[in-house]
Amino acid sequence: MSEHPVPSARARALVAGAYDTHVHVAPDVMERRIDDLDLAQRFAEVGLAGFVLKSHYVSTAERAMVVRKVRPEVDVLGSVTLNGAMGGMNPAAVEIAGRQGARFVWMPTVDSGNQRRSTATDLPGAKPAMWGALQADLHAQGIVPDVVEVVDADGRVLDRVRQVLRVIARHDLVLATGHLAGPEILAVVRAAREEGVRRIVVTHPEFTSQRLSVAEQRELAEAGALLERCFTTPYTGKVAWADLFANIRAVGPRHSVLSSDLGQPFNPPVEDGLPLFADRLLEAGFTEAEVQTMAVENTRWLAAPAQATVPA
């Protein structure tokens, strides 16, 4: 593994008690830097509260339950992503995940219409996403799940999506927007509010297939969503650090939430993601209070226990 920067003690202290709400670790269908049990130990050692296990292909709710039993001092949370491997826009998958204690539901990522149709390219020198090679291998074998759409030809949110949103609301889960396009994100966020979803995250708005404008980000913040700033997006060269910082300032730190999106073997240790992000923000002139809002307060609000009671 290559050399990476080491977080400062100041940054470690600043993000103590935070959750990393977006990590990709083993077991997985591709190589990862660390597994979930070892990561829980690392989080306990550095004073981080917990993390959300994300997979593009399987539900992680059961894994999270097992890790919490082994490492009860770290709050490990499960999730489900609505790609083809989970049946696409599948309310049953969300219902089962919710009953198993999952906390996050991602709209489609690798199988979203936007991601499949996207012709956007990474910036020169950027590291490609690891799932790209897996998707290409599946497609080469003729294993091509149906595209998972969220709106009709007129831009209206599909009934199936609204059914999923109602399940999310009933379980008081967190909705994350996955790899949808800007107009789709806004439509889904507004529909989610109408259906009673309380906590919404706009997934990495600076990522290659999103690249949301400041105007779009402000509109989403006004609609009640948090904008997720992923460490890996600038670290792997998909957006310039200066552009990311400008977006945070334009939308406001209180509307942003930090995550790492780490776990790739060529990237820094997962437990270093949030403090490394904090060091970068401090160097760019953000205050300690602003960093704590994004890294600690907002992540803890997202990770807080569900308020809804679910019928047996």
Short mmCIF file of all heavy atoms in Angstrom, two decimals, residues 1-4 31-35 42 263-270:
data_model
loop_
_atom_site.label_atom_id
_atom_site.label_comp_id
_atom_site.label_asym_id
_atom_site.label_seq_id
_atom_site.Cartn_x
_atom_site.Cartn_y
_atom_site.Cartn_z
N MET A 1 0.84 -1.18 0.00
CA MET A 1 0.00 0.00 0.00
C MET A 1 0.88 1.24 0.00
O MET A 1 1.89 1.30 0.69
CB MET A 1 -0.92 0.00 1.23
CG MET A 1 -1.91 -1.17 1.25
SD MET A 1 -2.97 -1.14 2.70
CE MET A 1 -3.86 -2.69 2.48
N SER A 2 0.47 2.23 -0.75
CA SER A 2 1.30 3.42 -0.91
C SER A 2 1.25 4.29 0.34
O SER A 2 0.38 4.15 1.20
CB SER A 2 0.82 4.21 -2.13
OG SER A 2 -0.56 4.52 -2.02
N GLU A 3 2.19 5.21 0.41
CA GLU A 3 2.26 6.12 1.54
C GLU A 3 1.16 7.17 1.44
O GLU A 3 0.83 7.64 0.36
CB GLU A 3 3.63 6.80 1.58
CG GLU A 3 4.77 5.84 1.87
CD GLU A 3 4.66 5.20 3.24
OE1 GLU A 3 4.24 5.90 4.19
OE2 GLU A 3 4.96 4.01 3.36
N HIS A 4 0.63 7.56 2.59
CA HIS A 4 -0.43 8.56 2.64
C HIS A 4 -0.15 9.51 3.79
O HIS A 4 0.59 9.18 4.73
CB HIS A 4 -1.79 7.89 2.84
CG HIS A 4 -2.18 6.96 1.73
ND1 HIS A 4 -2.57 7.41 0.49
CD2 HIS A 4 -2.23 5.61 1.67
CE1 HIS A 4 -2.85 6.37 -0.28
NE2 HIS A 4 -2.64 5.28 0.40
N GLU A 31 -11.61 -6.24 -3.95
CA GLU A 31 -10.60 -6.11 -2.91
C GLU A 31 -10.82 -4.86 -2.07
O GLU A 31 -11.09 -3.79 -2.60
CB GLU A 31 -9.20 -6.06 -3.53
CG GLU A 31 -8.08 -6.04 -2.51
CD GLU A 31 -6.71 -5.93 -3.15
OE1 GLU A 31 -6.63 -5.85 -4.39
OE2 GLU A 31 -5.72 -5.90 -2.40
N ARG A 32 -10.70 -5.01 -0.77
CA ARG A 32 -10.83 -3.88 0.14
C ARG A 32 -9.64 -3.83 1.09
O ARG A 32 -8.93 -4.83 1.30
CB ARG A 32 -12.13 -3.98 0.94
CG ARG A 32 -13.40 -3.88 0.09
CD ARG A 32 -13.45 -2.59 -0.70
NE ARG A 32 -14.70 -2.44 -1.46
CZ ARG A 32 -14.89 -1.48 -2.36
NH1 ARG A 32 -13.90 -0.62 -2.65
NH2 ARG A 32 -16.04 -1.38 -2.99
N ARG A 33 -9.42 -2.67 1.67
CA ARG A 33 -8.25 -2.45 2.50
C ARG A 33 -8.35 -3.15 3.85
O ARG A 33 -7.34 -3.57 4.43
CB ARG A 33 -8.05 -0.95 2.70
CG ARG A 33 -6.80 -0.60 3.48
CD ARG A 33 -6.63 0.89 3.69
NE ARG A 33 -5.39 1.13 4.41
CZ ARG A 33 -4.31 1.66 3.88
NH1 ARG A 33 -4.30 2.02 2.61
NH2 ARG A 33 -3.22 1.82 4.60
N ILE A 34 -9.56 -3.28 4.38
CA ILE A 34 -9.78 -3.78 5.74
C ILE A 34 -11.16 -4.38 5.81
O ILE A 34 -12.03 -4.07 4.98
CB ILE A 34 -9.61 -2.61 6.75
CG1 ILE A 34 -9.54 -3.11 8.19
CG2 ILE A 34 -10.74 -1.58 6.58
CD1 ILE A 34 -9.16 -2.00 9.19
N ASP A 35 -11.39 -5.25 6.80
CA ASP A 35 -12.74 -5.79 6.96
C ASP A 35 -13.47 -5.04 8.08
O ASP A 35 -12.87 -4.26 8.83
CB ASP A 35 -12.73 -7.30 7.18
CG ASP A 35 -12.11 -7.74 8.50
OD1 ASP A 35 -12.32 -7.07 9.53
OD2 ASP A 35 -11.40 -8.75 8.50
N ARG A 42 -10.33 -0.37 14.95
CA ARG A 42 -9.59 0.87 14.65
C ARG A 42 -10.40 2.09 15.09
O ARG A 42 -9.85 3.05 15.63
CB ARG A 42 -9.29 0.95 13.16
CG ARG A 42 -8.41 -0.18 12.63
CD ARG A 42 -6.94 0.12 12.82
NE ARG A 42 -6.12 -0.91 12.19
CZ ARG A 42 -5.71 -0.89 10.92
NH1 ARG A 42 -6.08 0.10 10.12
NH2 ARG A 42 -4.97 -1.86 10.44
N GLY A 263 -11.92 2.71 1.78
CA GLY A 263 -11.88 1.27 1.87
C GLY A 263 -11.10 0.65 0.73
O GLY A 263 -10.76 -0.54 0.75
N GLN A 264 -10.79 1.44 -0.30
CA GLN A 264 -10.02 0.96 -1.45
C GLN A 264 -8.57 0.69 -1.00
O GLN A 264 -8.01 1.47 -0.22
CB GLN A 264 -10.05 1.98 -2.58
CG GLN A 264 -11.44 2.42 -3.00
CD GLN A 264 -12.05 3.47 -2.09
OE1 GLN A 264 -11.38 4.06 -1.25
NE2 GLN A 264 -13.35 3.68 -2.24
N PRO A 265 -7.94 -0.36 -1.50
CA PRO A 265 -6.59 -0.69 -1.02
C PRO A 265 -5.53 0.34 -1.34
O PRO A 265 -4.50 0.40 -0.66
CB PRO A 265 -6.29 -2.03 -1.72
CG PRO A 265 -7.25 -2.12 -2.85
CD PRO A 265 -8.46 -1.37 -2.44
N PHE A 266 -5.76 1.18 -2.33
CA PHE A 266 -4.76 2.18 -2.72
C PHE A 266 -4.96 3.52 -2.03
O PHE A 266 -4.20 4.45 -2.25
CB PHE A 266 -4.78 2.38 -4.25
CG PHE A 266 -6.16 2.62 -4.83
CD1 PHE A 266 -6.77 3.85 -4.74
CD2 PHE A 266 -6.83 1.57 -5.45
CE1 PHE A 266 -8.04 4.06 -5.26
CE2 PHE A 266 -8.10 1.77 -5.98
CZ PHE A 266 -8.71 3.02 -5.89
N ASN A 267 -5.99 3.63 -1.19
CA ASN A 267 -6.29 4.88 -0.50
C ASN A 267 -5.89 4.81 0.97
O ASN A 267 -5.52 3.75 1.48
CB ASN A 267 -7.78 5.20 -0.64
CG ASN A 267 -8.10 5.91 -1.94
OD1 ASN A 267 -7.25 6.58 -2.52
ND2 ASN A 267 -9.33 5.75 -2.41
N PRO A 268 -5.95 5.93 1.70
CA PRO A 268 -5.55 5.93 3.11
C PRO A 268 -6.40 5.00 3.97
O PRO A 268 -7.50 4.60 3.56
CB PRO A 268 -5.74 7.39 3.53
CG PRO A 268 -5.70 8.18 2.28
CD PRO A 268 -6.29 7.28 1.22
N PRO A 269 -5.92 4.67 5.16
CA PRO A 269 -6.74 3.89 6.09
C PRO A 269 -8.10 4.56 6.33
O PRO A 269 -8.18 5.79 6.42
CB PRO A 269 -5.90 3.88 7.38
CG PRO A 269 -4.49 4.07 6.90
CD PRO A 269 -4.59 4.99 5.73
N VAL A 270 -9.13 3.76 6.45
CA VAL A 270 -10.49 4.30 6.56
C VAL A 270 -10.61 5.22 7.78
O VAL A 270 -11.22 6.29 7.70
CB VAL A 270 -11.53 3.16 6.64
CG1 VAL A 270 -12.93 3.72 6.76
CG2 VAL A 270 -11.41 2.26 5.42
#
